[in-house]
Amino acid sequence: MTDIPPQLRAPNENWIQRWRDNNIGWHHVEFNAHLLNHWHSLALPAGSRVLAPLCGKSRDMVWLAEQGYFIRGVELSRIAVEAFFQEHGMTPEITPAGAFERWSSGPFELYCGDIFDLPEIPLQDLDAVYDRASLVALNPEQRKQFAQMLIETLPERIRILLVSMSYPQHEMAGPPYSVPEAEVRSLFEGRFSVSPLHTLDLLKDSGRYGDRGVSQMLEQIYLLS
């Protein structure tokens, strides 16, 4: 197990409880529009392997598999992992894998465990990362540890499609947390070239978060290469 301070793992029980209570407002049944619109920016051939951190039971993994990719997800909640396979009619093989439990079927292998134990799973065959909601789910200190872990453990060729959010942090408690472009660059530019692809004004263009009392809510998409 990686040497991560206990306080960085402290929010885990809250996350697990939210899945027990089905309090998963972040989960969407439709494919993510940013994935559909911007995945081509990575220029990955079919057969590439994609890491999906904090994947939940996201249907985006199904879309990626339909494009010919192999998916390696990491998710803390066993409820979420089990639900993913059940909802798509699959009976996975379940095996221990270090600090994780590995669930696999077809193009999917989901590792159930703590994201900060990521170095314990195979990483060197990965070609890309699809981060829809993991960076914004982590508090500031966790984000630093998470970014450093990716920088130190992922292969040199890796490309990342990152979806982040930006809003006045004092106006709303996370998660999702505000991770503006300046912080994305601070976290990753030592290793990656950070290219903004698109910005969506959620209050204006989607109506989401209008009831949360924030004056601005931007969703920002980046290519890290």
Side-chain angles (χ1 to χ4, degrees):
M1 189 172 293
T2 54
D3 185 18
I4 297 296
Q7 63 268 27
L8 295 187
R9 300 179 186 269
N12 286 0
E13 182 56 36
N14 177 61
W15 186 260
I16 291 172
Q17 190 61 48
R18 292 184 70 172
W19 278 99
R20 291 189 189 121
D21 297 339
N22 200 35
N23 180 18
I24 52 172
W26 63 86
H27 176 73
H28 300 287
V29 297
E30 69 276 8
F31 298 138
N32 184 270
H34 305 311
L35 174 66
L36 304 185
N37 293 335
H38 299 289
W39 184 255
H40 65 86
S41 302
L42 279 69
L44 286 181
S48 298
R49 298 185 182 276
V50 179
L51 176 69
L54 276 64
C55 61
K57 59 174 185 176
S58 174
R59 293 189 68 243
D60 291 347
M61 294 186 288
V62 174
W63 185 87
L64 287 167
E66 290 174 348
Q67 313 313 305
Y69 301 110
F70 294 93
I71 316 304
R72 188 167 298 152
V74 180
E75 170 54 44
L76 182 65
S77 170
R78 200 174 195 270
I79 293 172
V81 174
E82 185 174 15
F84 174 79
F85 288 100
Q86 286 183 346
E87 290 175 7
H88 298 287
M90 293 179 284
T91 303
E93 178 184 4
I94 305 172
T95 55
F100 292 91
E101 193 175 60
R102 178 180 179 270
W103 297 51
S104 62
S105 179
F108 305 102
E109 53 175 346
L110 304 191
Y111 285 80
C112 185
D114 194 311
I115 189 64
F116 288 108
D117 290 322
L118 183 69
E120 293 199 15
I121 74 173
L123 299 173
Q124 291 306 306
D125 60 343
L126 291 170
D127 301 289
V129 177
Y130 171 51
D131 184 345
R132 171 180 175 175
S134 61
L135 193 65
V136 297
L138 302 174
N139 66 42
E141 190 58 35
Q142 288 176 316
R143 291 197 293 271
K144 293 177 185 177
Q145 292 282 349
F146 178 68
Q148 189 62 34
M149 181 175 61
L150 295 184
I151 288 169
E152 292 176 354
T153 59
L154 293 178
E156 187 68 27
R157 65 179 177 277
I158 207 81
R159 282 164 278 181
I160 301 175
L161 186 66
L162 170 66
V163 180
S164 187
M165 305 183 81
S166 178
Y167 64 90
Q169 186 67 82
H170 68 276
E171 294 181 354
M172 186 180 84
Y177 292 98
S178 176
V179 188
E181 181 175 339
E183 183 175 353
V184 172
R185 292 187 180 278
S186 175
L187 290 172
F188 292 106
E189 271 194 332
R191 158 78 187 272
F192 294 96
S193 172
V194 177
S195 302
L197 299 177
H198 182 68
T199 297
L200 178 68
D201 187 328
L202 291 178
L203 297 183
K204 177 182 176 182
D205 298 332
S206 75
R208 290 168 55 200
Y209 295 95
D211 61 343
R212 301 291 293 274
V214 292
S215 58
Q216 184 184 60
M217 177 66 76
L218 303 178
E219 200 164 51
Q220 298 165 311
I221 300 88
Y222 303 92
L223 171 64
L224 279 56
S225 59

